[in-house]
Amino acid sequence: MPRPLGELEDAVMTRVWKWNRPVTVREVLEDLQQERSIAYTTVMTVLDNLHQKGWVRREAEGRAYRYEAVSTRAAYSAALMNDAWSQSDNPAAALVAFFGMMSEEQRRALRDAVRIVQGPEEDPEQGEAGGETRVTPDAADEKRVEKPDEASGEKPGENPDSGAGGTGR
C-alpha cells in the first residue's frame, strides 16, 4: 500500500490533482511560490520523485516534461484508509471508532458511498431503487447527488445519446 505523501509531495500533488491535466514544473512552481519560497529545481526533483514512485506519468515536451496524475486523490485517500484499517487487530472496533469521529456530512457521504457500492435496492412499494435520491460515482467525486428525471424516466448517469448509459469515463 502507498506510504503517505510528504508535505511538499502533497502540496505538488494537490495542484496536479486539482488542475486535472498535464502540468509543467514551471506551472507548479509559480503556484507554489504564492505560498512559499521554493526553487525550480526543488519542484523538478519532487515531480521526478513522484514519477519514480508511480504517482505521476510524464511526457517529454521539448526539453521539459508535462506531468499527469496516475490516479485520483480519492483513490489515494482510499488506499491510505484501507492500509490503516487492515493493520487493526479489531477491524470492526476500528470502524466503529472511525464512524464515531465523523461529522454528519461525512456520515451522509458514507451512506451515499455504500449505496453506490451496493447498487439500487428494490422497494416493493415504490419499485426499483425506491425513487430515492441516488449518488452516481461521478457525482460522489463532485459532491453532488442526482435524482432520476421523473419526466423522462432516465436514471442518474444515463445519457440517452450514449447507448448503454454511463458517463463514458
Side-chain angles (χ1 to χ4, degrees):
M1 283 285 115
R3 288 188 6 226
L5 296 170
E7 186 244 333
L8 189 51
E9 290 174 326
D10 186 69
V12 169
M13 282 305 300
T14 294
R15 281 143 181 93
V16 174
W17 281 319
K18 179 177 80 174
W19 295 332
N20 195 28
R21 61 173 172 76
V23 299
T24 64
V25 171
R26 175 85 41 214
E27 290 173 311
V28 175
L29 171 71
E30 289 172 358
D31 200 58
L32 282 170
Q33 284 179 330
Q34 294 177 24
E35 299 172 2
R36 65 176 86 190
S37 176
I38 190 166
Y40 180 94
T41 54
T42 302
V43 176
M44 184 173 63
T45 299
V46 170
L47 279 164
D48 185 60
N49 290 343
L50 290 166
H51 176 256
Q52 297 298 322
K53 293 177 180 182
W55 287 107
V56 294
R57 66 178 66 91
R58 68 185 180 191
E59 194 169 307
E61 184 176 278
R63 295 182 354 161
Y65 289 106
R66 282 203 174 267
Y67 296 86
E68 186 174 17
V70 169
S71 66
T72 64
R73 179 177 281 285
Y76 166 69
S77 297
L80 290 177
M81 288 187 289
N82 187 58
D83 189 43
W85 184 46
S86 68
Q87 294 186 31
S88 172
D89 60 348
N90 187 339
L95 283 175
V96 169
F98 181 61
F99 297 158
M101 295 176 195
M102 291 178 155
S103 68
E104 183 55 37
E105 180 181 347
Q106 290 170 321
R107 285 191 291 275
R108 276 193 300 274
L110 175 64
R111 285 190 294 272
D112 290 342
V114 169
R115 281 188 211 114
I116 291 169
V117 172
Q118 289 180 339
E121 295 181 24
E122 286 202 29
D123 180 341
E125 293 185 22
Q126 295 188 0
E128 187 177 327
E132 291 182 18
T133 299
R134 294 191 334 183
V135 177
T136 63
D138 289 339
D141 274 350
E142 297 172 17
K143 295 181 182 169
R144 68 168 193 246
V145 295
E146 299 178 9
K147 282 189 171 262
D149 183 344
E150 294 173 7
S152 70
E154 292 175 25
K155 293 180 185 166
E158 284 186 340
N159 179 348
D161 297 327
S162 68
T167 60
R169 285 193 206 191

